[in-house]
């Protein structure tokens, strides 16, 4: 499948993700250190998804079909890196959602859990778990063909579809990557919304806001930025992963397989789901820009600095020429 990612579009996504990670790592966007760590980790994981899924799997393979990445010795490692980076990106979103759920709904646990150190431990733990979870990917492929005693390509072994152990592993991977994160984010957001509505009614009652007065609640305004950021990130994930999750349910539970006919509605739905799934790794920068005013200011400063540097370099080149 050739996803409609052009080289110029990929370059834009690469630059924006790098810029996002650099800006957030400076800690000047008015977010807590814990949230900042999650945001930086998510930006880097999104960048890795774009590199391994788009640059190597789509663009590089399309232009160089018989490169070193097509060797049977290398191909399983590429597949492993693709699934690990995608899984890591997904579970970072779940971890961030859980962190915000604790911060908003569990005040007693908030001081102990919502810290910079806990965020660092969770980020590293998610990375290690993602790497360990998919180690069997190195052993589930066999050469697609042999040319001049060189093994090329990798295709899934037949035993992967018949062995109870491999079938179980396949289900665990699919549930861990698609259905379970989708369900957890929906659940955590639902619980968070219920808590916010209940807390808002109590605060309005205590402050006399229920009678129609428009007094300013500074505490609620301070929490609003964090809540908007949480719902924006979570909602984009839910919307962009919905097609892939529904396709997973239909192909793995209902029809127990995916039709490889390129004109089949099920095949088209699966490919559209994959496209939207990868696009979910590109939208966080836009979300930060739309929801965080200080992030927009830092982006303007970065762009202005880059333009100034480029202008100076061009002037020096013209003078030396």
């Amino acid at each position: 499948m050739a996803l409609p990612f052009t080289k110029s579009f990929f370059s834009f996504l690469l630059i924006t993700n790098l810029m996002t990670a650099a800006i957030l790592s400076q800690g000047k966007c008015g977010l807590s250190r814990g949230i900042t760590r999650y945001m930086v980790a998510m930006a880097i994981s999104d960048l890795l998804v774009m590199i391994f899924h788009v640059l190597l799997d789509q663009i590089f393979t399309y232009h160089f079909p018989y490169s070193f990445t097509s060797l049977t010795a290398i191909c399983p490692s590429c597949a492993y890196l693709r699934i690990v980076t995608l899984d890591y990106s997904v579970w970072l979103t779940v971890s961030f959602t859980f962190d915000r759920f604790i911060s908003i709904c569990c005040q007693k646990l908030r001081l102990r859990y919502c810290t910079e150190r806990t965020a660092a431990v969770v980020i590293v733990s998610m990375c290690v778990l993602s790497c360990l979870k998919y180690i069997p990917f190195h052993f589930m492929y066999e050469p697609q063909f042999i040319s001049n005693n060189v093994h090329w390509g990798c295709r899934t072994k037949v035993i992967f579809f018949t062995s109870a152990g491999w079938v179980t592993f396949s289900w665990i991977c699919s549930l861990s990557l698609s259905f379970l994160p989708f369900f957890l984010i929906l659940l955590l957001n639902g619980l968070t919304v219920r808590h916010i509505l209940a807390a808002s009614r109590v605060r309005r009652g205590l402050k006399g806001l229920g009678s129609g007065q428009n007094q300013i609640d500074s505490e609620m305004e301070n929490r609003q930025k964090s809540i908007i950021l949480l719902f924006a990130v979570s909602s984009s994930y839910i919307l962009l992963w919905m097609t892939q999750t529904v396709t997973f349910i239909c192909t793995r539970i209902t029809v127990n397989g995916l039709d490889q006919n390129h004109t089949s509605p099920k095949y088209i739905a699966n490919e559209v789901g994959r496209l939207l799934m990868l696009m979910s790794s590109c939208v966080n920068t836009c979300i930060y820009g739309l929801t965080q005013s200080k992030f927009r200011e830092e982006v303007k400063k970065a762009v202005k600095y880059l333009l100034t540097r480029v202008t100076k370099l061009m002037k020096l080149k013209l003078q030396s020429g």
Side-chain angles (χ1 to χ4, degrees):
M1 181 195 69
L3 293 176
F5 281 99
T6 63
K7 287 183 286 187
S8 57
F9 182 50
F10 172 77
S11 300
F12 170 75
L13 296 177
L14 188 68
I15 292 172
T16 53
N17 276 291
L18 283 171
M19 182 177 65
T20 299
I23 290 174
L24 290 172
S25 63
Q26 295 177 1
K28 298 180 180 179
C29 297
L31 300 171
S32 69
R33 291 185 177 182
I35 296 179
T36 300
R37 280 190 178 271
Y38 279 115
M39 294 294 101
V40 172
M42 291 166 67
I44 294 174
S45 67
D46 291 343
L47 179 63
L48 293 176
V49 169
M50 298 307 299
I51 290 174
F52 289 110
H53 280 264
V54 180
L55 177 61
L56 290 181
D57 188 42
Q58 300 297 325
I59 297 177
F60 186 79
T61 303
Y62 176 79
H63 290 283
F64 305 97
Y66 296 104
S67 65
F68 70 97
T69 58
S70 299
L71 293 171
T72 303
I74 304 296
C75 185
S77 297
C78 293
Y80 171 78
L81 290 173
R82 288 197 299 271
I83 192 69
V84 166
T85 53
L86 186 60
D87 183 87
Y88 184 47
S89 176
V90 167
W91 282 100
L92 278 179
T93 304
V94 177
S95 301
F96 170 72
T97 305
F98 181 74
D99 179 89
R100 293 299 86 201
F101 166 76
I102 295 296
S103 176
I104 296 170
C105 303
C106 307
Q107 296 300 314
K108 293 182 179 179
L109 187 58
R110 174 185 178 184
L111 295 178
R112 287 185 297 170
Y113 184 84
C114 300
T115 63
E116 184 180 10
R117 181 178 179 181
T118 302
V121 171
V122 171
I123 290 168
V124 174
S125 300
M126 289 296 104
C127 181
V128 172
L129 288 174
S130 294
C131 292
L132 293 176
K133 192 188 311 179
Y134 298 100
I135 287 178
F137 261 66
H138 290 286
F139 310 102
M140 60 181 283
Y141 295 104
E142 62 183 5
Q144 195 167 8
F145 64 93
I146 301 175
S147 177
N148 296 325
N149 294 324
V150 178
H151 294 227
W152 290 94
C154 53
R155 62 184 178 187
T156 308
K157 295 178 180 178
V158 177
I159 193 174
F160 179 79
F161 303 99
T162 58
S163 170
W166 278 114
V167 171
T168 302
F169 172 73
S170 174
W171 271 95
I172 291 174
C173 291
S174 299
L175 289 171
S176 173
L177 186 60
S178 181
F179 185 76
L180 185 58
F182 191 85
F183 171 77
L184 288 175
I185 289 177
L186 278 177
L187 176 63
L188 292 171
N189 278 336
L191 295 173
T192 303
V193 169
R194 187 181 69 173
H195 178 85
I196 291 172
L197 293 177
S200 298
R201 286 194 295 266
V202 172
R203 292 183 68 83
R204 282 199 301 267
L206 292 175
K207 290 181 171 291
L209 299 179
S211 59
Q213 301 176 15
N214 293 321
Q215 300 178 18
I216 298 176
D217 190 338
S218 58
E219 182 177 343
M220 292 300 292
E221 285 189 349
N222 291 333
R223 295 174 64 186
Q224 186 177 9
K225 291 183 179 180
S226 176
I227 294 169
I228 290 175
L229 181 60
L230 165 65
F231 288 157
V233 172
S234 300
S235 299
S236 69
Y237 172 85
I238 291 170
L239 291 174
L240 292 173
W241 273 81
M242 186 177 296
T243 303
Q244 185 71 7
T245 303
V246 172
T247 303
F248 158 75
I249 295 174
C250 293
T251 56
R252 299 304 300 271
I253 298 177
T254 307
V255 299
N256 194 28
L258 178 64
D259 191 349
Q260 293 300 317
N261 181 8
H262 290 196
T263 62
S264 169
K266 291 188 289 291
Y267 180 87
I268 294 174
N270 184 69
E271 298 305 287
V272 171
R274 287 187 61 193
L275 174 60
L276 295 176
M277 175 186 71
L278 294 179
M279 288 298 296
S280 68
S281 300
C282 315
V283 300
N284 281 345
T285 302
C286 298
I287 289 173
Y288 304 151
L290 292 173
T291 61
Q292 304 295 313
S293 58
K294 291 186 178 181
F295 179 81
R296 292 195 297 271
E297 293 175 3
E298 293 299 319
V299 170
K300 291 178 182 178
K301 291 179 182 179
V303 172
K304 185 177 180 180
Y305 173 78
L306 289 174
L307 289 176
T308 302
R309 296 293 297 177
V310 170
T311 302
K312 288 183 179 180
L313 289 174
M314 291 179 65
K315 288 181 178 179
L316 289 175
K317 187 175 181 180
L318 289 175
Q319 291 173 359
S320 61

